[in-house]
Amino acid sequence: MTKVLTDTRSIRIKGRSFLALVLSPEPPLDAWLTRLDDLASRSAGFFLGRPVVLDVADLEIDRAELKKLIDELGKRNVRIMGIEGGRPSLFEPGMPPAMKGGRPAPDIEIPAEASVESPGAAPAAATAPSLQVEPPAPRAISSIVIREPVRSGQSVIFPEGDVTVVGSVASGAEIIAGGSVHVYGTLRGRALAGSVGNASARIFCRRLEAELLAIDGVYKTAEDMAPNLRGQAVQLWLEGDSIMAERLN
Amino acid sequence: MAKVIVVTSGKGGVGKTTSTAALGAALAQRNEKTVVVDFDVGLRNLDLVMGAERRVVYDLVNVIQGDAKLPQALIRDKRLETLFLLPASQTRDKDSLTPEGVEKVMGELKKHFDWIICDSPAGIERGATLAMRHADIAVIVTNPEVSSVRDSDRIIGLLDAKTERAERGERVEKHLLLTRYDQVRAERGDMLKVDDVLEILSIPLVGIVPESTDVLKASNLGAPVTLADSRSAPALAYLDAARRIAGETVPMTIPGEKRGFLGKLFGRRAA
């Protein structure tokens, strides 16, 4: 049986990153849970509504213990969205999925004065982490510059921001940027801008000979491109679900 | 100081082996001790082009596996006493080459020779990556047509990533050798022009070898084209290319182009 699709629009799949809290339990687990309770008593709802990942890479633990740990955390309203660093044998159906490829982010800590401790508390309490996390300060949009030609077979993947190539992008090469793609040369390969869901990303090139162009998941192959844009300096952007293009200069 | 040259292309049939033999003979004629090494294990050809196929006893794989000493496997050319061949094995495959073995052989060759020219197999797999691994200089052999140019581009990317020099943060010196060039067909638009290829690959040009029956004739004679008829057009192009590789400045000419165009081509060296 062949299914007939009545709606031929393709499904758009985007990437997105969230900052998760990572808990790294230390043995003995009972003592660690007590310390966690202590933290929670001082900051009710600290974990509420936050994605939490359990890092078990440095923990000697078996499946039953892990299951118990997840249950214990659940009782404390800490909902685990994924487990990092666990051996495949640790997992069973119903557990949070294994995660990998996480990148470190700065430690989450709060200045001591934000603490709710009373003035007479022990000195240790003065340095205890406070429990509210401020939203990260807006970071400058990052970008990378590549000063040489991108050769056939090479991929430049930069989800964090813009990619600028001072040189050409060869047939069979690809640039995947979270932001915009700028090519100061001939773009013969593929350029994918706004790859993690950024509809305002654009593609600029000094000479358009591309095999494929994509912005925020909407793509166009060489065949679909207007022939009068070939060989021209062009910028491309997204309006709704269609890629628009105009000649520069 | 010994220099290791890899003659490579990605695509097959573009003239790597012919160019290895011709450049090897041209460099040896400068009285510099030269060895041409066949890395095409399983599909060796360099011995035929060098006219040494009936003198092969031991080969590169024997040396790597310790069955023979390097001097036993080296074959001295009968015409040029500064030219040697290290043949490949025809009965093995490329898995017989190990990174450690190749490194050892290269280290030993560097002690005895001024130029070590490695004839790379086609493709981008083990044989090709091991042939380029120790290179100081790469000669990228390209025909003026799109598939050869794209494969060369791929190889240039690998040279910048997978060689010992690249891993040390240095660069392999890269030269484009355009072979089987036919000026008439390029003018007609049947072939890419020199400028088109240079624009795409953006590496310096080291020579343009014309399409010529002299090349086939020399191969069948078992002689590098630079030795078979040193005054033929392809031989002249290879001799000039060898001088450029050795560091001399030689004006570039497009074979078959009328005089007057030559002046334009001085300094035709892309980034």
Side-chain angles (χ1 to χ4, degrees):
Chain A
M1 280 265 294
T2 321
K3 275 192 191 161
V4 179
L5 284 179
T6 48
D7 190 341
T8 53
R9 281 177 305 170
S10 55
I11 290 180
R12 267 159 82 182
I13 298 176
K14 298 176 182 180
R16 187 153 304 176
S17 62
F18 296 88
L19 193 64
L21 301 180
V22 177
L23 282 177
S24 311
E26 294 156 22
L29 288 176
D30 292 340
W32 183 80
L33 282 168
T34 314
R35 269 150 57 208
L36 189 73
D37 288 338
D38 180 47
L39 175 70
S41 67
R42 284 181 283 126
S43 65
F46 181 56
F47 292 105
L48 216 61
R50 294 182 193 282
V52 178
V53 171
L54 198 58
D55 175 8
V56 296
D58 297 323
L59 193 66
E60 284 292 319
I61 193 169
D62 63 27
R63 196 191 298 177
E65 287 168 341
L66 179 62
K67 203 160 182 275
K68 189 168 156 249
L69 178 63
I70 293 169
D71 287 345
E72 287 293 329
L73 289 166
K75 281 183 208 158
R76 291 160 173 81
N77 283 328
V78 179
R79 307 246 309 139
I80 304 294
M81 61 171 283
I83 298 174
E84 195 183 16
R87 300 181 305 275
S89 61
L90 275 180
F91 293 90
E92 65 175 37
M95 275 194 189
M99 299 184 81
K100 54 185 169 187
R103 268 174 295 179
D107 282 351
I108 294 172
E109 41 191 333
I110 300 301
E113 58 264 33
S115 160
V116 290
E117 294 295 319
S118 66
T127 54
S130 94
L131 310 159
Q132 97 201 61
V133 180
E134 287 180 6
R139 275 188 308 154
I141 294 165
S142 58
S143 62
I144 51 167
V145 178
I146 292 159
R147 292 160 192 276
E148 50 199 41
V150 182
R151 304 284 180 183
S152 185
Q154 294 177 332
S155 308
V156 175
I157 303 173
F158 188 67
E160 293 85 356
D162 289 9
V163 175
T164 305
V165 181
V166 187
S168 293
V169 177
S171 161
E174 62 184 10
I175 310 287
I176 303 175
S180 297
V181 176
H182 310 255
V183 180
Y184 291 91
T186 309
L187 172 56
R188 295 191 177 84
R190 304 173 150 209
L192 290 79
S195 66
V196 289
N198 177 0
S200 60
R202 293 189 175 211
I203 298 172
F204 305 84
C205 62
R206 197 138 82 171
R207 194 169 146 200
L208 182 75
E209 300 283 352
E211 292 162 348
L212 183 140
L213 298 162
I215 301 174
D216 191 17
V218 179
Y219 67 88
K220 229 177 184 159
T221 60
E223 273 195 354
D224 312 327
M225 290 172 214
N228 62 352
L229 294 173
R230 297 241 133 219
Q232 305 295 323
V234 170
Q235 70 158 324
L236 302 116
W237 69 97
L238 202 60
E239 269 183 31
D241 270 354
S242 45
I243 293 183
M244 312 298 286
E246 72 175 19
R247 284 170 58 176
L248 296 165
N249 62 33
Chain B
M1 248 316 258
K3 287 260 184 183
V4 181
I5 302 175
V6 60
V7 178
T8 185
S9 69
K11 193 173 181 322
V14 295
K16 285 181 295 297
T17 302
T18 304
S19 300
T20 303
L23 292 173
L27 288 168
Q29 279 174 312
R30 301 164 53 90
N31 226 3
E32 288 162 336
K33 235 180 137 191
T34 304
V35 60
V36 289
V37 186
D38 194 347
F39 271 83
D40 205 347
V41 176
L43 287 170
R44 75 175 189 210
N45 284 143
L46 189 56
D47 55 331
L48 290 171
V49 178
M50 298 289 290
E53 73 278 10
R54 297 198 293 184
R55 298 163 64 205
V56 175
V57 183
Y58 294 111
D59 55 51
L60 177 62
V61 172
N62 293 136
V63 178
I64 283 178
Q65 297 185 339
D67 304 331
K69 295 251 185 300
L70 183 60
Q72 293 177 289
L74 287 170
I75 302 170
R76 185 193 287 262
D77 190 83
K78 285 191 168 164
R79 296 148 294 206
L80 278 172
E81 62 169 23
T82 46
L83 181 60
F84 291 78
L85 164 70
L86 181 53
S89 167
Q90 183 73 351
T91 51
R92 311 294 184 84
D93 58 35
K94 275 144 191 111
D95 294 336
S96 322
L97 297 173
T98 60
E100 303 76 30
V102 170
E103 184 169 3
K104 204 173 122 242
V105 172
M106 284 292 151
E108 215 170 321
L109 287 172
K110 279 187 198 172
K111 288 185 214 148
H112 302 290
F113 290 94
D114 299 310
W115 298 101
I116 300 153
I117 309 183
C118 305
D119 182 20
S120 170
I124 53 172
E125 287 80 26
R126 192 183 186 88
T129 49
L130 282 176
M132 69 170 64
R133 178 104 192 108
H134 301 275
D136 301 302
I137 299 172
V139 172
I140 294 117
V141 182
T142 306
N143 290 168
E145 48 99 15
V146 284
S147 57
S148 172
V149 171
R150 184 160 77 179
D151 289 1
S152 294
D153 196 66
R154 179 89 167 93
I155 282 287
I156 296 169
L158 293 179
L159 286 163
D160 286 335
K162 295 216 162 170
T163 52
E164 229 182 18
R165 278 197 166 221
E167 283 167 12
R168 286 201 306 260
E170 298 167 27
R171 312 219 64 165
V172 175
E173 193 183 305
K174 293 181 283 283
H175 298 283
L176 175 67
L177 183 65
L178 200 58
T179 54
R180 310 192 69 164
Y181 187 75
D182 186 330
Q183 178 64 19
V184 176
R185 292 175 62 196
E187 290 293 336
R188 275 206 311 255
D190 300 347
M191 264 186 183
L192 292 176
K193 293 196 178 129
V194 178
D195 281 335
D196 299 336
V197 181
L198 283 177
E199 204 266 319
I200 296 174
L201 293 180
S202 52
I203 56 169
L205 184 65
V206 79
I208 306 168
V209 181
E211 174 85 302
S212 162
T213 51
D214 292 316
V215 174
L216 187 63
K217 223 188 294 172
S219 295
N220 287 333
L221 277 176
V225 65
T226 38
L227 286 181
D229 179 359
S230 60
R231 284 160 61 195
S232 64
L236 291 172
Y238 278 119
L239 288 165
D240 278 356
R243 288 170 64 194
R244 292 185 192 106
I245 291 170
E248 291 181 35
T249 310
V250 185
M252 185 69 69
T253 57
I254 295 189
E257 208 165 56
K258 291 172 203 75
R259 285 180 68 194
F261 281 91
L262 302 190
K264 271 191 356 195
L265 294 161
F266 277 71
R268 182 201 285 274
R269 290 170 81 98

Coordinates of all heavy atoms in Angstrom, one line a residue, chain B residues 155-228:
Chain B
I155 N 41.2 16.4 -2.8 CA 42.6 16.0 -2.4 C 43.3 17.1 -1.7 O 44.0 16.9 -0.7 CB 43.3 15.5 -3.7 CG1 42.9 14.1 -4.0 CG2 44.8 15.5 -3.5 CD1 43.4 13.0 -3.0
I156 N 43.1 18.4 -2.3 CA 43.8 19.5 -1.6 C 43.3 19.7 -0.2 O 44.1 19.9 0.7 CB 43.5 20.8 -2.5 CG1 44.2 20.7 -3.9 CG2 44.1 22.0 -1.8 CD1 43.7 21.7 -4.8
G157 N 42.0 19.4 0.0 CA 41.5 19.5 1.4 C 42.1 18.5 2.3 O 42.5 18.7 3.4
L158 N 42.3 17.3 1.7 CA 43.0 16.2 2.5 C 44.4 16.6 2.8 O 44.9 16.3 3.9 CB 42.9 14.9 1.8 CG 41.5 14.3 1.7 CD1 41.5 13.0 0.9 CD2 40.8 14.1 3.0
L159 N 45.1 17.2 1.9 CA 46.5 17.5 2.1 C 46.6 18.5 3.2 O 47.6 18.6 3.9 CB 47.1 18.2 0.8 CG 47.4 17.2 -0.4 CD1 47.6 17.9 -1.7 CD2 48.7 16.4 0.0
D160 N 45.6 19.3 3.4 CA 45.6 20.3 4.5 C 45.1 19.7 5.8 O 45.1 20.4 6.8 CB 44.7 21.5 4.1 CG 45.3 22.4 3.0 OD1 46.6 22.4 3.0 OD2 44.6 23.1 2.3
A161 N 44.7 18.5 5.8 CA 44.2 17.9 7.0 C 44.9 16.6 7.4 O 45.2 16.4 8.6 CB 42.7 17.6 6.8
K162 N 45.3 15.8 6.5 CA 45.8 14.4 6.9 C 47.2 14.2 6.7 O 47.7 13.1 6.9 CB 45.0 13.4 6.0 CG 43.5 13.4 6.3 CD 42.9 12.0 6.2 CE 41.6 12.0 6.9 NZ 40.9 10.7 6.7
T163 N 48.0 15.2 6.4 CA 49.4 15.0 6.3 C 50.1 15.3 7.6 O 49.6 15.9 8.4 CB 50.0 15.9 5.1 OG1 49.6 17.2 5.4 CG2 49.5 15.4 3.8
E164 N 51.4 14.8 7.7 CA 52.2 15.0 8.9 C 52.4 16.5 9.1 O 52.3 17.0 10.2 CB 53.5 14.3 8.7 CG 53.9 13.5 9.8 CD 55.3 12.9 9.7 OE1 56.0 13.3 8.8 OE2 55.5 11.9 10.4
R165 N 52.7 17.2 7.9 CA 52.9 18.6 8.0 C 51.7 19.4 8.6 O 51.8 20.2 9.4 CB 53.2 19.2 6.6 CG 54.6 19.0 6.3 CD 55.0 19.9 5.1 NE 56.5 20.0 5.0 CZ 57.1 21.0 4.7 NH1 56.5 22.2 4.5 NH2 58.4 21.0 4.7
A166 N 50.5 19.0 8.1 CA 49.2 19.6 8.5 C 49.1 19.4 10.0 O 48.7 20.3 10.7 CB 48.1 19.1 7.7
E167 N 49.4 18.2 10.5 CA 49.2 17.9 11.9 C 50.2 18.7 12.7 O 49.9 18.9 13.9 CB 49.4 16.4 12.1 CG 48.1 15.7 11.7 CD 48.3 14.2 11.6 OE1 49.3 13.6 12.1 OE2 47.4 13.5 11.0
R168 N 51.3 19.1 12.1 CA 52.3 19.9 12.9 C 51.9 21.4 12.8 O 52.7 22.2 13.3 CB 53.7 19.7 12.3 CG 54.4 18.4 12.7 CD 55.9 18.5 12.5 NE 56.3 19.0 11.2 CZ 56.7 18.2 10.3 NH1 56.8 16.9 10.4 NH2 57.1 18.7 9.1
G169 N 50.9 21.7 12.1 CA 50.5 23.1 11.9 C 51.2 23.7 10.7 O 51.1 25.0 10.6
E170 N 51.9 23.0 9.9 CA 52.6 23.5 8.8 C 51.8 23.2 7.5 O 50.7 22.6 7.6 CB 54.0 22.9 8.6 CG 54.9 23.2 9.8 CD 56.1 22.3 9.7 OE1 56.5 21.9 8.6 OE2 56.7 22.0 10.8
R171 N 52.2 23.7 6.4 CA 51.5 23.5 5.2 C 52.3 22.6 4.2 O 53.5 22.8 4.1 CB 51.1 24.8 4.5 CG 50.6 25.8 5.4 CD 49.5 26.6 4.8 NE 48.4 25.7 4.5 CZ 47.2 26.1 4.1 NH1 46.9 27.4 4.1 NH2 46.2 25.3 3.9
V172 N 51.6 21.8 3.4 CA 52.3 21.2 2.3 C 52.3 22.1 1.2 O 51.3 22.8 0.9 CB 51.5 19.9 2.0 CG1 52.1 19.2 0.7 CG2 51.4 18.9 3.1
E173 N 53.5 22.3 0.5 CA 53.6 23.2 -0.6 C 52.8 22.5 -1.8 O 53.1 21.4 -2.1 CB 55.1 23.3 -0.9 CG 55.5 24.3 -1.9 CD 57.0 24.2 -2.1 OE1 57.8 24.2 -1.1 OE2 57.4 24.1 -3.3
K174 N 51.8 23.2 -2.4 CA 51.0 22.6 -3.4 C 51.2 23.2 -4.7 O 51.3 24.4 -4.9 CB 49.5 22.7 -3.0 CG 49.2 21.9 -1.7 CD 47.8 22.0 -1.3 CE 47.4 23.3 -0.6 NZ 47.9 23.4 0.7
H175 N 51.3 22.3 -5.7 CA 51.4 22.8 -7.1 C 50.4 22.1 -8.0 O 50.2 20.9 -7.9 CB 52.8 22.4 -7.6 CG 53.9 23.0 -6.9 ND1 54.3 24.3 -7.0 CD2 54.8 22.5 -5.9 CE1 55.3 24.6 -6.2 NE2 55.6 23.5 -5.5
L176 N 49.9 22.8 -8.9 CA 48.9 22.3 -9.9 C 49.6 21.9 -11.2 O 50.3 22.8 -11.8 CB 47.8 23.3 -10.2 CG 46.8 22.9 -11.2 CD1 46.0 21.7 -10.8 CD2 45.9 24.0 -11.6
L177 N 49.5 20.7 -11.6 CA 50.1 20.3 -12.9 C 48.9 19.9 -13.8 O 48.2 18.9 -13.5 CB 51.0 19.1 -12.7 CG 51.7 18.6 -13.9 CD1 52.7 19.6 -14.4 CD2 52.5 17.3 -13.6
L178 N 48.7 20.7 -14.8 CA 47.5 20.5 -15.7 C 48.0 19.6 -16.8 O 48.9 20.0 -17.5 CB 47.1 21.9 -16.2 CG 45.6 22.0 -16.7 CD1 44.6 21.5 -15.7 CD2 45.4 23.4 -17.2
T179 N 47.4 18.4 -16.9 CA 47.8 17.5 -18.0 C 46.8 17.3 -19.0 O 45.6 17.6 -18.8 CB 48.2 16.2 -17.4 OG1 47.1 15.7 -16.6 CG2 49.4 16.3 -16.5
R180 N 47.2 16.7 -20.1 CA 46.3 16.4 -21.3 C 45.5 17.7 -21.7 O 44.3 17.7 -22.0 CB 45.2 15.4 -20.9 CG 45.9 14.2 -20.3 CD 45.0 13.0 -20.1 NE 44.7 12.5 -21.5 CZ 44.2 11.3 -21.7 NH1 43.9 10.5 -20.7 NH2 43.9 10.9 -22.9
Y181 N 46.2 18.8 -21.7 CA 45.6 20.1 -22.1 C 45.6 20.2 -23.6 O 46.7 20.0 -24.3 CB 46.4 21.2 -21.5 CG 45.7 22.5 -21.7 CD1 44.6 22.9 -20.9 CD2 46.2 23.5 -22.6 CE1 44.0 24.1 -21.1 CE2 45.6 24.7 -22.7 CZ 44.5 25.0 -22.0 OH 43.8 26.2 -22.2
D182 N 44.5 20.6 -24.2 CA 44.4 20.8 -25.6 C 43.9 22.2 -25.8 O 42.7 22.5 -25.6 CB 43.4 19.8 -26.2 CG 43.4 19.8 -27.7 OD1 43.6 20.9 -28.3 OD2 43.1 18.8 -28.3
Q183 N 44.8 23.1 -26.3 CA 44.4 24.5 -26.4 C 43.3 24.7 -27.4 O 42.4 25.5 -27.1 CB 45.7 25.3 -27.0 CG 45.5 26.7 -27.2 CD 45.2 27.5 -25.9 OE1 45.4 27.0 -24.8 NE2 44.6 28.7 -26.0
V184 N 43.2 23.9 -28.5 CA 42.2 24.1 -29.5 C 40.8 23.8 -28.9 O 39.8 24.6 -29.0 CB 42.4 23.3 -30.7 CG1 41.3 23.4 -31.7 CG2 43.7 23.7 -31.4
R185 N 40.8 22.7 -28.1 CA 39.5 22.3 -27.6 C 39.1 23.2 -26.4 O 37.9 23.5 -26.2 CB 39.6 20.9 -27.1 CG 39.7 19.9 -28.2 CD 39.8 18.5 -27.8 NE 38.7 18.0 -27.0 CZ 38.7 16.9 -26.2 NH1 39.9 16.2 -26.2 NH2 37.7 16.5 -25.6
A186 N 40.1 23.8 -25.7 CA 39.8 24.7 -24.6 C 39.2 26.0 -25.2 O 38.2 26.6 -24.7 CB 41.0 25.1 -23.8
E187 N 39.8 26.4 -26.4 CA 39.2 27.6 -27.1 C 37.8 27.4 -27.5 O 37.0 28.3 -27.5 CB 40.1 28.0 -28.3 CG 41.5 28.5 -28.0 CD 41.4 29.9 -27.3 OE1 40.4 30.6 -27.5 OE2 42.4 30.2 -26.6
R188 N 37.5 26.2 -28.0 CA 36.2 25.9 -28.4 C 35.2 25.7 -27.3 O 34.0 25.6 -27.5 CB 36.2 24.5 -29.2 CG 36.6 24.6 -30.7 CD 36.0 23.5 -31.5 NE 36.2 22.2 -30.9 CZ 37.1 21.3 -31.4 NH1 37.8 21.6 -32.4 NH2 37.2 20.1 -30.8
G189 N 35.7 25.6 -26.1 CA 34.8 25.5 -24.9 C 34.5 24.0 -24.6 O 33.7 23.7 -23.8
D190 N 35.2 23.1 -25.3 CA 35.0 21.6 -25.0 C 35.7 21.2 -23.7 O 35.5 20.2 -23.1 CB 35.6 20.7 -26.1 CG 34.9 21.0 -27.4 OD1 33.9 21.7 -27.4 OD2 35.4 20.5 -28.4
M191 N 36.7 22.1 -23.3 CA 37.5 21.8 -22.1 C 37.5 23.0 -21.2 O 37.3 24.1 -21.7 CB 38.9 21.5 -22.5 CG 39.3 20.1 -22.7 SD 41.1 20.1 -23.1 CE 41.3 18.4 -23.4
L192 N 37.8 22.8 -20.0 CA 38.0 24.0 -19.1 C 39.3 24.7 -19.5 O 40.3 24.1 -20.0 CB 38.1 23.6 -17.7 CG 36.9 23.1 -17.0 CD1 37.2 22.6 -15.6 CD2 35.8 24.1 -17.0
K193 N 39.3 26.0 -19.4 CA 40.5 26.8 -19.7 C 41.4 26.8 -18.5 O 41.0 26.6 -17.4 CB 40.2 28.2 -20.1 CG 39.4 28.3 -21.4 CD 39.4 29.7 -22.0 CE 38.7 29.7 -23.3 NZ 37.7 30.7 -23.4
V194 N 42.7 27.2 -18.7 CA 43.6 27.2 -17.6 C 43.1 28.1 -16.5 O 43.2 27.8 -15.3 CB 45.0 27.7 -18.1 CG1 46.0 27.8 -17.0 CG2 45.5 26.8 -19.2
D195 N 42.6 29.3 -16.9 CA 42.2 30.2 -15.9 C 41.0 29.7 -15.1 O 40.9 30.0 -13.9 CB 41.8 31.6 -16.5 CG 43.0 32.4 -16.9 OD1 44.0 32.2 -16.2 OD2 42.9 33.2 -17.8
D196 N 40.1 28.9 -15.7 CA 39.0 28.4 -15.0 C 39.4 27.4 -13.9 O 39.0 27.4 -12.8 CB 38.0 27.6 -16.0 CG 37.5 28.5 -17.0 OD1 37.4 29.7 -16.8 OD2 37.1 27.9 -18.1
V197 N 40.4 26.6 -14.3 CA 40.9 25.6 -13.3 C 41.6 26.3 -12.2 O 41.4 26.0 -11.0 CB 41.8 24.6 -14.0 CG1 42.3 23.6 -13.0 CG2 41.2 23.9 -15.2
L198 N 42.4 27.3 -12.5 CA 43.1 28.0 -11.5 C 42.2 28.7 -10.5 O 42.4 28.8 -9.3 CB 44.1 29.0 -12.1 CG 45.4 28.4 -12.6 CD1 46.2 29.5 -13.3 CD2 46.2 27.8 -11.5
E199 N 41.1 29.3 -11.1 CA 40.1 30.0 -10.3 C 39.4 29.1 -9.3 O 39.2 29.4 -8.1 CB 39.1 30.7 -11.2 CG 38.4 31.9 -10.6 CD 37.1 31.5 -9.9 OE1 36.3 30.7 -10.4 OE2 36.8 32.0 -8.8
I200 N 39.1 27.8 -9.8 CA 38.4 26.9 -8.9 C 39.4 26.4 -7.8 O 39.0 26.3 -6.6 CB 37.8 25.7 -9.7 CG1 36.7 26.3 -10.6 CG2 37.3 24.7 -8.7 CD1 36.2 25.2 -11.5
L201 N 40.6 26.0 -8.2 CA 41.5 25.3 -7.2 C 42.3 26.3 -6.4 O 42.8 25.9 -5.3 CB 42.4 24.3 -8.0 CG 41.6 23.2 -8.6 CD1 42.6 22.2 -9.3 CD2 40.9 22.4 -7.6
S202 N 42.5 27.5 -6.9 CA 43.4 28.5 -6.3 C 44.6 27.9 -5.6 O 44.8 28.1 -4.4 CB 42.6 29.4 -5.3 OG 41.8 28.7 -4.4
I203 N 45.4 27.2 -6.4 CA 46.8 26.9 -6.0 C 47.7 27.3 -7.1 O 47.3 27.3 -8.3 CB 47.0 25.4 -5.6 CG1 46.5 24.5 -6.7 CG2 46.2 25.1 -4.3 CD1 46.9 23.0 -6.5
P204 N 49.0 27.5 -6.9 CA 49.9 27.9 -8.0 C 50.1 26.8 -9.0 O 50.1 25.6 -8.7 CB 51.2 28.2 -7.3 CG 51.1 27.8 -5.9 CD 49.7 27.5 -5.6
L205 N 50.2 27.3 -10.2 CA 50.4 26.4 -11.4 C 51.9 26.1 -11.5 O 52.7 26.9 -11.5 CB 49.9 27.1 -12.6 CG 49.9 26.4 -14.0 CD1 48.9 25.2 -13.9 CD2 49.4 27.4 -15.1
V206 N 52.2 24.8 -11.8 CA 53.6 24.4 -11.9 C 53.9 24.0 -13.3 O 55.1 23.9 -13.7 CB 54.0 23.3 -10.9 CG1 53.5 21.9 -11.3 CG2 55.5 23.3 -10.6
G207 N 52.9 23.7 -14.1 CA 53.1 23.3 -15.5 C 51.9 22.9 -16.2 O 50.9 22.6 -15.6
I208 N 51.9 23.1 -17.6 CA 50.8 22.7 -18.4 C 51.3 21.7 -19.4 O 52.2 22.1 -20.2 CB 50.1 23.9 -19.1 CG1 49.8 25.0 -18.1 CG2 48.9 23.4 -19.9 CD1 49.4 26.3 -18.8
V209 N 50.9 20.5 -19.3 CA 51.4 19.4 -20.2 C 50.4 19.2 -21.3 O 49.2 18.9 -21.0 CB 51.7 18.1 -19.5 CG1 52.2 17.1 -20.4 CG2 52.6 18.4 -18.3
P210 N 50.8 19.3 -22.6 CA 49.8 19.2 -23.7 C 49.4 17.7 -23.9 O 50.2 16.8 -23.6 CB 50.5 19.7 -24.9 CG 51.9 19.5 -24.6 CD 52.1 19.7 -23.1
E211 N 48.2 17.5 -24.3 CA 47.7 16.2 -24.8 C 48.6 15.9 -26.0 O 48.8 16.7 -26.9 CB 46.3 16.3 -25.2 CG 45.7 15.1 -25.9 CD 45.2 14.1 -24.9 OE1 46.0 13.6 -24.1 OE2 44.0 13.7 -25.0
S212 N 49.3 14.7 -25.9 CA 50.2 14.4 -27.0 C 50.4 12.9 -27.2 O 50.4 12.1 -26.2 CB 51.6 15.0 -26.7 OG 52.6 14.4 -27.5
T213 N 50.6 12.4 -28.4 CA 50.8 11.0 -28.6 C 52.2 10.6 -28.1 O 52.5 9.4 -27.9 CB 50.8 10.7 -30.1 OG1 51.6 11.6 -30.8 CG2 49.3 10.7 -30.6
D214 N 53.1 11.6 -27.9 CA 54.4 11.3 -27.4 C 54.4 10.6 -26.0 O 55.2 9.8 -25.7 CB 55.3 12.6 -27.3 CG 55.6 13.2 -28.6 OD1 55.9 12.4 -29.5 OD2 55.4 14.4 -28.8
V215 N 53.3 11.0 -25.2 CA 53.2 10.4 -23.9 C 53.0 8.9 -24.0 O 53.6 8.1 -23.3 CB 52.1 11.2 -23.1 CG1 51.9 10.5 -21.7 CG2 52.5 12.6 -22.9
L216 N 52.0 8.6 -24.8 CA 51.6 7.2 -24.9 C 52.8 6.4 -25.5 O 53.1 5.3 -25.1 CB 50.4 7.0 -25.8 CG 49.8 5.7 -25.9 CD1 49.3 5.2 -24.6 CD2 48.7 5.7 -27.0
K217 N 53.4 7.0 -26.5 CA 54.6 6.3 -27.2 C 55.7 6.0 -26.1 O 56.2 4.9 -26.1 CB 55.1 7.3 -28.2 CG 55.5 6.6 -29.5 CD 56.2 7.5 -30.5 CE 55.3 8.6 -31.0 NZ 56.1 9.6 -31.8
A218 N 56.0 7.0 -25.3 CA 57.0 6.8 -24.3 C 56.6 5.7 -23.3 O 57.5 4.9 -22.9 CB 57.3 8.1 -23.6
S219 N 55.4 5.7 -22.8 CA 54.9 4.7 -21.9 C 55.1 3.3 -22.5 O 55.6 2.4 -21.8 CB 53.4 4.8 -21.6 OG 53.2 6.0 -20.9
N220 N 54.7 3.2 -23.8 CA 54.9 1.8 -24.4 C 56.3 1.4 -24.6 O 56.7 0.3 -24.6 CB 54.1 1.8 -25.7 CG 52.6 1.8 -25.5 OD1 52.2 1.3 -24.4 ND2 51.8 2.3 -26.4
L221 N 57.2 2.4 -24.7 CA 58.6 2.2 -24.8 C 59.2 1.8 -23.4 O 60.3 1.3 -23.3 CB 59.4 3.4 -25.3 CG 59.4 3.6 -26.8 CD1 60.1 5.0 -27.1 CD2 60.2 2.5 -27.5
G222 N 58.5 2.1 -22.4 CA 59.0 1.9 -21.0 C 60.0 3.0 -20.7 O 61.1 2.7 -20.1
A223 N 59.8 4.2 -21.1 CA 60.7 5.3 -20.7 C 59.9 6.5 -20.3 O 58.9 6.8 -20.9 CB 61.5 5.7 -21.9
P224 N 60.3 7.2 -19.2 CA 59.7 8.5 -18.9 C 59.8 9.4 -20.1 O 60.8 9.4 -20.8 CB 60.6 9.0 -17.7 CG 61.3 7.8 -17.2 CD 61.5 6.9 -18.3
V225 N 58.7 10.2 -20.3 CA 58.6 11.0 -21.5 C 59.8 12.0 -21.6 O 60.3 12.3 -22.7 CB 57.2 11.7 -21.7 CG1 57.0 12.7 -20.6 CG2 57.1 12.3 -23.0
T226 N 60.3 12.4 -20.4 CA 61.4 13.3 -20.4 C 62.7 12.7 -20.9 O 63.7 13.3 -21.3 CB 61.6 13.9 -19.0 OG1 61.4 12.9 -18.1 CG2 60.7 15.0 -18.8
L227 N 62.8 11.3 -20.9 CA 64.0 10.6 -21.4 C 63.8 10.1 -22.8 O 64.7 10.1 -23.6 CB 64.3 9.4 -20.5 CG 64.9 9.7 -19.1 CD1 65.2 8.4 -18.4 CD2 66.2 10.5 -19.2
A228 N 62.5 9.7 -23.1 CA 62.3 9.1 -24.4 C 62.5 10.1 -25.5 O 63.2 9.8 -26.5 CB 60.8 8.7 -24.5

